Amino acid sequence: MEPILKAKKIVKNFGGVKALREVDFDLFAGEVHALVGENGAGKSTLIKILTGVLEPDSGEIEYFGKKLVLKSPREAHEAGIVAVYQEPLVYKHLSVVENIFLGNEIKKKNGNVDWQRERSITRELLKSLDIDPYFIDEPMGSLSTGLQQLTLIAKALNYNAKVIIFDEPTAILTEHEAQRLFSIIERLKEKGVGIIYISHRLEELPQIADRITIMRDGQVMGNFDMNQVTREKIIELMAGHTLIEELKRTPPEYTDVVLEVRNLSKKGMYQDIDFKLYRGEILGFSGLVGAGRSEVMQTIFGLIKPDSGEIIINGKKVNVKDPSIAMKLGIAYIPEDRGSQGLFKALTINFNVTIPIIEQLTKFLGIVDNSREKEIATRYLKWLQIKAPSIYTLVNNLSGGNQQKVLIAKWLATSPKILILDEPTRGVDVAVKSQIHNEILRLADSGISIIVVSSELPEIIKLSDRVIVMHEGRITGRFDKKESITPTNLLNAATGARMVYSRD
Amino acid sequence: MKKFLNLMATNRSFFLFIFLIAMFLVFSFVIPEFSTIYNILNMTKYGVEIGLLAFAETLIIISGGGGIDLSIGSILSLSAMVIGVLAGRLGMNIVLASILGLIAGGLCGAVNGFFVSFLRMPPLIVTLSTMYVYDSLALLIAVDKWGNPMPVSNFPYGYFFIGQQTYFNIPFQVIAIFIPLALILHFLLSKTTFGRYLFATGNSEVVARFSNVPVKKIKFSVYVIGGFLAGLAALIMTSRIASARPDLGAGLNLQAITIAVLGGTNIMGGEGSILGTLMAIVVITALYNGLQLAGISSIWQVGTLGIILIGSAIANIILSRKYSSVE
């Protein structure tokens, strides 16, 4: 039997970044082919190429034995290659029927939409997937995410889809919904549809996947029949021989607890979060994107109100209602998204650096003391070696790395005792990255307690004295000894194996 | 020359200043009495009331998130009637009545601010609704004992110095109220923490929240300040025309917004200045005056306002495409 879809030696570069290096991938009719890898391994890029969102730099796609060149998602759609994303792309105010036939309406001779036929086809499509079609006239927005996904599958079938790509479909489904999805995937297989299935939940793969391809750093690390590979092997290939820089760092004395979080829960975000942060330590928070780490940190910083649980700072229970209280308690939070959360891009470096502490820089009547302000901004500009003509340069005109430094400067200026960095080096080049790492270490040495949230394993492993791993809103791993902080251990915890502990 | 055009493209106040000079030259050439000192000083008083409203809109629009106050003219009407009814009909002390008129303006602004900032409702919806409500209230309290809404004109004589007195031909309200207030507002925006917080909020509410900026307080306060300014404009206007009418502010809502935008206030928020708005006020006041002296029907006034706005926007786009250079 020949594969229906075959990608051969696909190469894709973004600027200097090699996203895909000669990737081969194939898919047979009626099989589920799982695609796994860490964040940034190249899965999404591959999918985007297969669905016509991106064009490859070189390499080709063979589809039913013929060469296929995709210039747009629409062409992929028409060829029968459809992707169903984690957050379904739907028109919330239109009905299920309208969503399914949008852009592909069945018309009567007089040009009106043939609702009767559209509705009966919708019913049949859903029935063929064993779904009771009672909801076809409801607005899409009123359905659960799970049902929205199913509707999109029905839509794909209506396009006569031969290949359906699921991108982390179960990440936001309930257990029941996930099981229903699996049985529908079985039905799709029976119909001869080929399925590419991306998931971080390794535990669910043996149940539904026939084959698995593991990617890392834009390369295929292995391709196996699902029943011939162990979870350990998969993790090992995902983690690879990650290059970890060794650091000379004297571990902190674990004596003073500066922050303690007890049983913190917020529905839909995180559950039973428990941890301690010691003076002068660097505590890493590892896990996959969407594991709830940022939400926990934003709660500590007063941006999210928890449902239950306690936050204790220097032995005192505190109620952090908003960031101003967090700041008074000495907490600084550097958000992951520079553009929409961290910096005022259309304003100057000076403005950005001093805004959190502007009230401390006043003379009287709320008048800003410009000379003190300038002094502070200039000091951090030099200290963090921000490359800019002056402190009055607009943040927009800086490179990503320098923007990140401005963001760090902004929060260092508040003289924090507890510094929380959320993805501190995302989108930053290697040189600036190691500069920022050195800065973090220097701050920890000076007695500041630091939490680093990062999805990059090398970063977590390099910096952290201890590591906590989260998976789907829960803590699934704690590593207190430097030796136990290994890529394999962290990945195991991050992909939802049972609780992983290592303590002395 | 390149530098000059670059400045024209990037600095709205400078652009308006050049525009003003050009307009002055044209009007002076066509209308001899335009450039007399008497005329110039006298015309300033007509810019005061709309100017105060435009300042109010400047602050509110800068605060971002669709910030706008469609009710600003209606607040003026209501404040004017409060002063008129209290002083003229009920015989209250005029100073006290004026203070209550100002407070009424501030309260109206506070209502807007409450809905916008604490209930997170869209400013357009909120102020569109309150515009009608304040208009109605102004009419309601204008109702006399025979059941008709009527203007009030029997103010005590001492009240008129605010809007009618001049010193060396300079109107009292310009020298004693408008200029100091413009300076204070300019100072507030460019030198104080309030100004920083205002621009931060207007640039991005999310970043502001992440940066320890009291976003809600700031948004609330701009509407309150706006209400006070409208109340002050009501005070000046009733004194100048010696009458309080429930429709005094009619049509001023959008004019005030237009002037703020003409002055370089970004309708998306986060950008604008008192100086720019001031320049726009001067341009518009001089324009109205010139048109009037030239014997052109006042029907044309708002029409030209619209033409100037779109014209300056086009000029700005052309200039910035050609000459503005990123540093």
Side-chain angles (χ1 to χ4, degrees), chain A residues 351-419:
Chain A
F351 186 103
N352 274 285
V353 170
T354 54
I355 188 80
I357 51 162
I358 200 74
E359 276 180 4
Q360 297 157 29
L361 302 178
T362 53
K363 290 185 277 199
F364 54 94
L365 286 173
I367 300 164
V368 177
D369 185 340
N370 285 336
S371 58
R372 269 178 71 200
E373 190 191 15
K374 192 177 164 185
E375 187 258 312
I376 287 176
T378 313
R379 194 194 323 152
Y380 283 101
L381 194 80
K382 283 194 186 135
W383 190 32
L384 295 177
Q385 299 168 26
I386 297 169
K387 288 201 181 63
S390 87
I391 56 168
Y392 301 110
T393 306
L394 301 184
V395 169
N396 245 337
N397 297 340
L398 301 177
S399 69
N402 281 306
Q403 289 185 10
Q404 189 65 24
K405 287 189 191 170
V406 173
L407 184 55
I408 293 174
K410 171 176 167 179
W411 287 105
L412 288 185
T414 67
S415 328
K417 307 250 178 339
I418 299 168
L419 179 63

Side-chain angles (χ1 to χ4, degrees), chain A residues 301 303 323-324 327 333 335 340-344 346-347 351 354-356 358-359 362 366-368 373 397 410-411, chain B residues 187-188 190-197 199-214 270 326-327:
Chain A
F301 192 59
L303 290 162
S324 70
M327 262 187 59
Y333 172 68
S340 69
Q341 300 174 331
L343 293 172
F344 300 104
L347 298 173
F351 186 103
T354 54
I355 188 80
I358 200 74
E359 276 180 4
T362 53
I367 300 164
V368 177
E373 190 191 15
N397 297 340
K410 171 176 167 179
W411 287 105
Chain B
F187 189 76
L188 195 65
S190 57
K191 304 280 179 211
T192 67
T193 52
F194 175 84
R196 294 297 176 92
Y197 286 158
F199 282 104
T201 306
N203 259 276
S204 164
E205 243 180 274
V206 179
V207 179
R209 249 163 53 79
F210 275 80
S211 308
N212 185 34
V213 172
V326 181
E327 284 152 49

